[in-house]
Amino acid sequence: MRAFLKKVVFLSALALFSAQGFGAFAQDSGTVAFVEGCKAFSSGDWNSAVIMLRKASAYAVNDTPDTYYMLVAAEMYAQDFESALTDCDFFLNNYPENLYTARVKYMKGKAMFSLGEYEKSIIEFSDFCHQYENDELYPSALFYIAEALYAAYKYDEAETIYERIITDYPECDKAPTAQFRIESIAQRSREEKLLYLLKQTGEEYLSAKEDYERQLKMYNSETLSTTREKLENSEQKNKELEDQIKELEDQISLLKANGGKLPPDAGKKKTSGGTNLPDVTEFESSDEILALLKAKLIQIQYMIDKNDQNGAE
């Protein structure tokens, strides 16, 4: 396209120079601005080209499709897309059937794309493709339609057009980029599937974790309740056994205080828990009674220690 533009610059300058004499050419400010704009354009000095061509367009002698076409092209190269879009509309309104009309429509679509107006650029490039199917810029227009769809996250639609470019226009300079985009879409699809699986797995993990923590909390609650009940039972048994120990100690004290004899009802007492103490009246010897009471005391103490151990477990 740049070669085409340089050809336009050369022919436009030549036509202008031929139409006017050298003297008039040197004196006409509009002509000078146009020639300077052409020189800047040819050298790739786009900002200077924009300034000089816009100045030239203010003169009636330069009010031509060539001037505005080169102005739009210079603005596109200078990335002044807003100004390019405005001048594209001016050109298309004033020269709808010109030699450059197709290329101006193409640049208008590209200016919209560069400004992020993807939906509008799709419409403009689609209109270009419909009107200029045989134009050399047709595959490039298709490419920018696909790029606009890709930028708008419409990957499936974009992929279809990229594949068409590769299949129908393999020699197009956009074909390698189209192939890269297809690979990118495939990679993105794989990443999205992995992210979906990761999300699902994460949700299942959180659900399982919450269920585990709930079950653990219930188990701990039940275990605590069972442990508390065991402790209460042990405490109750210990109290009963301690009562027995106290009564046995009392009997031993009475036995010692009465010279080895107990009152008639001393051997018939019961503990608060209802456990019978040994009937000491059945024994004649105080030593036998004392030994029996001590043996019972040791047995009860053992039972208390055992209850404390079970409660701790």
Side-chain angles (χ1 to χ4, degrees):
M1 184 174 180
R2 186 171 296 186
F4 176 83
L5 288 170
K6 287 185 176 180
K7 184 178 179 180
V8 170
V9 172
F10 175 75
L11 293 176
S12 299
L14 181 62
L16 185 63
F17 184 79
S18 300
Q20 302 186 26
F22 178 79
F25 182 83
Q27 298 297 323
D28 191 332
S29 298
T31 303
V32 171
F34 180 79
V35 172
E36 290 299 319
C38 290
K39 287 181 180 180
F41 194 102
S42 297
S43 64
D45 185 359
W46 309 118
N47 291 323
S48 296
V50 169
I51 294 171
M52 298 310 298
L53 289 170
R54 187 171 297 284
K55 181 179 178 181
S57 66
Y59 295 88
V61 68
N62 298 317
D63 189 11
T64 64
D66 305 83
T67 302
Y68 288 106
Y69 176 68
M70 283 192 293
L71 175 59
V72 170
E75 288 168 339
M76 290 295 294
Y77 284 123
Q79 298 186 358
D80 184 3
F81 301 115
E82 292 184 357
S83 297
L85 192 57
T86 300
D87 289 327
C88 281
D89 287 333
F90 177 86
F91 184 99
L92 294 172
N93 288 332
N94 289 275
Y95 312 106
E97 302 297 332
N98 189 265
L99 173 66
Y100 310 127
T101 300
R103 280 169 170 72
V104 172
K105 287 184 68 68
Y106 175 87
M107 288 190 288
K108 180 180 179 180
K110 193 171 179 181
M112 290 175 172
F113 176 85
S114 299
L115 291 170
E117 299 178 4
Y118 301 123
E119 293 296 331
K120 290 182 179 180
S121 71
I122 290 173
I123 295 172
E124 192 65 35
F125 279 122
S126 297
D127 187 45
F128 173 89
C129 291
H130 178 71
Q131 295 183 47
Y132 307 103
E133 188 173 356
N134 297 320
D135 194 282
E136 62 179 355
L137 293 175
Y138 182 85
S140 293
L142 283 178
F143 175 79
Y144 279 109
I145 292 174
E147 286 287 275
L149 291 169
Y150 184 91
Y153 306 103
K154 298 179 180 180
Y155 301 121
D156 292 340
E157 297 176 48
E159 185 176 15
T160 300
I161 299 176
Y162 287 133
E163 289 175 347
R164 181 183 173 189
I165 293 170
I166 294 170
T167 302
D168 296 346
Y169 306 97
E171 302 302 323
C172 171
D173 62 346
K174 304 296 184 183
T177 307
Q179 180 62 48
F180 175 77
R181 288 295 195 212
I182 290 174
E183 294 170 359
S184 298
I185 291 171
Q187 177 65 24
R188 185 181 295 273
S189 178
R190 288 192 293 270
E191 290 174 355
E192 288 177 352
K193 288 179 181 178
L194 288 173
L195 288 173
Y196 174 78
L197 291 174
L198 181 61
K199 180 182 178 183
Q200 291 294 104
T201 303
E203 290 175 353
E204 290 175 3
Y205 165 76
L206 290 176
S207 177
K209 182 181 178 183
E210 290 174 359
D211 184 63
Y212 167 76
E213 291 176 347
R214 183 169 56 254
Q215 294 292 339
L216 182 61
K217 186 176 181 180
M218 291 175 61
Y219 171 78
N220 289 337
S221 177
E222 291 173 358
T223 302
L224 182 61
S225 177
T226 302
T227 302
R228 186 182 293 110
E229 185 178 350
K230 287 181 178 179
L231 287 173
E232 290 175 352
N233 290 338
S234 295
E235 288 176 358
Q236 179 62 33
K237 289 180 181 180
N238 285 348
K239 187 178 184 306
E240 293 174 0
L241 292 172
E242 287 172 356
D243 289 343
Q244 291 185 38
I245 288 175
K246 186 177 185 306
E247 292 187 21
L248 285 171
E249 288 175 342
D250 290 344
Q251 288 191 26
I252 290 172
S253 297
L254 284 172
L255 187 64
K256 290 180 178 180
N258 290 284
K261 295 181 180 181
L262 290 173
D265 61 344
K268 301 298 184 179
K269 291 184 178 180
K270 294 183 178 181
T271 65
S272 59
T275 303
N276 288 324
L277 293 173
D279 188 353
V280 296
T281 59
E282 296 178 1
F283 301 91
E284 295 180 358
S285 170
S286 61
D287 291 337
E288 291 178 351
I289 294 171
L290 186 59
L292 176 64
L293 291 174
K294 287 182 177 180
K296 188 66 175 178
L297 186 62
I298 292 171
Q299 182 183 6
I300 293 172
Q301 186 62 52
Y302 170 77
M303 293 175 65
I304 290 175
D305 293 340
K306 188 175 182 181
N307 281 338
D308 288 340
Q309 184 179 4
N310 290 337
E313 293 176 353

